[in-house]
Amino acid sequence: LAKTTQPISMDSYEGQEVNITCSHNNIATNDYITWYQQFPSQGPRFIIQGYKTKVTNEVASLFIPADRKSSTLSLPRVSLSDTAVYYCLVGENSNSGYALNFGKGTSLLVTP
Amino acid sequence: EAGVTQSPTHLIKTRGQQATLRCSPISGHTSVYWYQQALGLGLQFLLWYDEGEERNRGNFPPRFSGRQFPNYSSELNVNALELEDSALYLCASSRAQNIQYFGAGTRLSVL
């Protein structure tokens, strides 16, 4: 299972773009990159998943370079409600067995 | 479509007792995962069930066990509760090993 490394915390002002980078040097060929968001005392919420290049949805964008050893979650124009912990996970999207390792994530604080 | 539901929301037990936590997955999802999140820590993987079978287990003692029923709902049982078992227990469901969707969790307090 590929290990991921993210910053422990980040601060931002409302309205700014926030980029959270995750490094996963040992990513395997079949691994996908998935990001979750978690508010205190709630279950994590799926944000976005990608395999390579760029993925965009209504919430965020995910940028993955060609070597796939890192990925960047981009949150456009953050608001106070985006204050949460963000987890980067790497794992297979197949029928083989694996366990997701959430780690400690990145704690994002958005202030006015 | 209903999301993942967990019950009870809160559970208070004393040391040495047993706790049973329940999870109903999203309709059509066959895999159920259990995680433990102690205060201020990340999620620790506990158990993974798929099609009624235990597929994988995290680094937890045998007093943490569970099962998955024919309707894909699941129970997590924790025997001989210890103070350090106090945590938020989260259940997630998915189709096969695709994206996991989480419930709101059960807050277990061991006194």
Side-chain angles (χ1 to χ4, degrees), chain A residues 1-6 22-25 33 87-91 101-105:
Chain A
L1 190 68
K3 184 179 183 230
T4 60
T5 303
Q6 312 173 227
C22 176
S23 86
H24 26 79
N25 292 320
I33 300 153
Y87 295 96
C88 162
L89 289 91
V90 171
N101 177 13
F102 275 79
K104 293 190 178 178

Side-chain angles (χ1 to χ4, degrees), chain B residues 2-15:
Chain B
V4 176
T5 57
Q6 292 187 243
S7 63
T9 306
H10 293 89
L11 189 58
I12 300 175
K13 295 284 185 178
T14 56
R15 204 168 52 180

Side-chain angles (χ1 to χ4, degrees), chain A residues 2-92:
Chain A
K3 184 179 183 230
T4 60
T5 303
Q6 312 173 227
I8 297 290
S9 63
M10 293 182 70
D11 296 331
S12 177
Y13 293 108
E14 261 189 309
Q16 289 190 326
E17 177 184 77
V18 171
N19 295 309
I20 306 174
T21 296
C22 176
S23 86
H24 26 79
N25 292 320
N26 296 325
I27 190 168
T29 305
N30 293 334
D31 285 345
Y32 279 69
I33 300 153
T34 309
W35 285 80
Y36 286 83
Q37 174 195 56
Q38 186 181 27
F39 299 111
S41 297
Q42 293 186 24
R45 181 177 76 103
F46 168 78
I47 300 175
I48 197 166
Q49 184 182 74
Y51 183 80
K52 62 180 179 180
T53 61
K54 176 184 174 183
V55 180
T56 297
N57 62 23
E58 64 278 4
V59 177
S61 294
L62 179 59
F63 299 92
I64 305 169
D67 66 5
R68 304 200 326 123
K69 292 185 184 299
S70 67
S71 60
T72 299
L73 174 73
S74 181
L75 304 172
R77 298 179 299 281
V78 293
S79 64
L80 299 179
S81 62
D82 292 317
T83 293
V85 177
Y86 293 81
Y87 295 96
C88 162
L89 289 91
V90 171
E92 282 191 57

Side-chain angles (χ1 to χ4, degrees), chain A residues 36 38 41-44 46 49 87 92-100 102-103, chain B residues 35 37 41-43 45 48 56 88 90 96-104 107:
Chain A
Y36 286 83
Q38 186 181 27
S41 297
Q42 293 186 24
F46 168 78
Q49 184 182 74
Y87 295 96
E92 282 191 57
N93 199 8
S94 70
N95 287 326
S96 59
Y98 71 96
L100 289 181
F102 275 79
Chain B
Y35 294 85
Q37 187 172 33
L41 298 181
L43 283 80
F45 168 73
W48 167 32
N56 203 351
L88 180 67
L90 291 158
Q97 283 70 52
N98 211 317
I99 297 160
Q100 295 184 19
Y101 295 90
F102 286 78
R107 172 72 63 186

Side-chain angles (χ1 to χ4, degrees), chain B residues 30 49-55 67-70 72:
Chain B
T30 60
Y49 290 95
D50 183 61
E51 297 286 357
E53 301 285 332
E54 182 179 302
R55 302 296 185 182
R67 54 181 172 166
Q68 186 178 33
F69 298 99
Y72 303 113

